[in-house]
Amino acid sequence: MSATSLAALARTSDPQSVLRRFLALDAVVTGANGLAYLAASGPLGRLLGIDRGLLLGLGAFLTVYAAGVGLLASRARPAALPVRAVIEANLAWSALSCVALALWLSPTTAGAVWTVLQALTVAGFAALQYVALKGLQGSSD
């Protein structure tokens, strides 16, 4: 997703809408990733060099997580505490992905690149959500 696309998503005078859009984007991307892991764990496991069982577990987790983030995004006014929990979970996922890559996983080159790219994407979601939440809190002062 380009900076122009992100700017278009954020273009609104309503800070709640910005936050909800970034949560929804997170839910869609995470859900698609989770469903792909569930539906194609064998071929993806071979491509990425990641155990099929691990991908199935991650797929189930990501699908449930995405549903929760989507539910939060559907709220007219998402509460700050659950939004902060999503931000922190995204940061933890990003960090753990890098740790797993360094210490536990032995992926293919494609798997290593995928792990880094998804970690950066998830960290990006956390940053966007943090900025949107801060903007929302700043607008209520």
Side-chain angles (χ1 to χ4, degrees), residues 15-62:
Q16 286 288 343
S17 293
V18 174
L19 178 59
R20 292 177 62 222
R21 288 174 185 176
F22 287 141
L23 288 168
L25 178 63
D26 185 353
V28 168
V29 171
T30 301
N33 197 31
L35 291 173
Y37 287 174
L38 287 172
S41 60
L44 284 174
R46 287 187 294 279
L47 174 67
L48 302 174
I50 305 293
D51 179 70
R52 179 180 186 266
L54 177 59
L55 286 181
L56 283 171
L58 290 173
F61 171 79
L62 291 173

Side-chain angles (χ1 to χ4, degrees), residues 86-102:
V86 167
I87 293 166
E88 290 172 9
N90 283 343
L91 291 173
W93 177 274
S94 188
L96 286 173
S97 294
C98 294
V99 168
L101 184 59

